[in-house]
Amino acid sequence: AQKITQTQPGMFVQEKEAVTLDCTYDTSDPSYGLFWYKQPSSGEMIFLIYQGSYDQQNATEGRYSLNFQKARKSANLVISASQLGDSAMYFCAMREGGSQGNLIFGKGTKLSVKP
Amino acid sequence: KAGVTQTPRYLIKTRGQQVTLSCSPISGHRSVSWYQQTPGQGLQFLFEYFSETQRNKGNFPGRFSGRQFSNSRSEMNVSTLELGDSALYLCASSLTSESGTQYFGPGTRLLVL
């Protein structure tokens, strides 16, 4: 079974609008971390935001926020006020507690921002 | 602070050859992880090193190996290259193995002909 599921292969959003990228995860470990990365066409993975399983509040980093619903095992990324430079692949990833170095990635969502 | 650097950025090899990729982590980071990214399989974990010791390994054949030096720089080696090894190889560093955000380098694009 997939541990990280991103159901949207591609998404379009109008510039300056908000967009939500979906991510669900599967783990029986009570301690885990969830990450979102952005990968432009250049290939580099850019860290966006982190949410720990014990964090009480949803994480926010500038225009990025994470809608963390623990009971539903979802960790959706919300990008507010989309910019043309936001066009890229977006990956959700999880690290289970005690797992050394191993990030488990979803298959990604390709976001295209239209002017 | 300088980010993660990887060399070379691009590489073309032929089947049967071997290749060595290098990764220099962010200063102060002692954990280095390697990932392979292909269109078919996505991002897959190769291995992780911390303080010169391999702490975790993904499901890859023994042709894939790595090491870490005392300055935390890491190398990965692929012997007897196969066409299917063509991929983007990403290195990531973090402060520790079990926690902390992994910061990625620009990757090495390997093409095997």
Side-chain angles (χ1 to χ4, degrees), chain A residues 50-62:
Chain A
Y50 165 80
Q51 180 85 44
S53 59
Y54 295 117
D55 293 344
Q56 295 296 314
Q57 292 190 316
N58 287 345
T60 60
E61 289 282 354

Side-chain angles (χ1 to χ4, degrees), chain A residues 99-105, chain B residues 31-37 41-49 54-60 90 92 97 102:
Chain A
S99 171
Q100 286 132 341
N102 182 7
L103 282 180
I104 304 166
F105 285 87
Chain B
S31 169
V32 173
S33 298
W34 289 89
Y35 295 85
Q36 181 196 65
Q37 185 178 24
Q41 299 298 318
L43 280 146
Q44 294 184 284
F45 171 74
L46 281 157
F47 30 65
E48 188 264 353
Y49 285 87
Q54 187 181 89
R55 302 277 293 271
N56 200 358
K57 190 177 190 308
N59 188 24
F60 277 83
L90 290 161
S97 288
Q102 289 189 12

Side-chain angles (χ1 to χ4, degrees), chain A residues 33-64:
Chain A
L34 296 160
F35 302 80
W36 277 92
Y37 287 89
K38 170 185 177 182
Q39 188 177 42
S41 56
S42 61
E44 182 171 359
M45 298 284 282
I46 301 167
F47 166 70
L48 296 177
I49 197 165
Y50 165 80
Q51 180 85 44
S53 59
Y54 295 117
D55 293 344
Q56 295 296 314
Q57 292 190 316
N58 287 345
T60 60
E61 289 282 354
R63 295 188 298 113
Y64 304 107

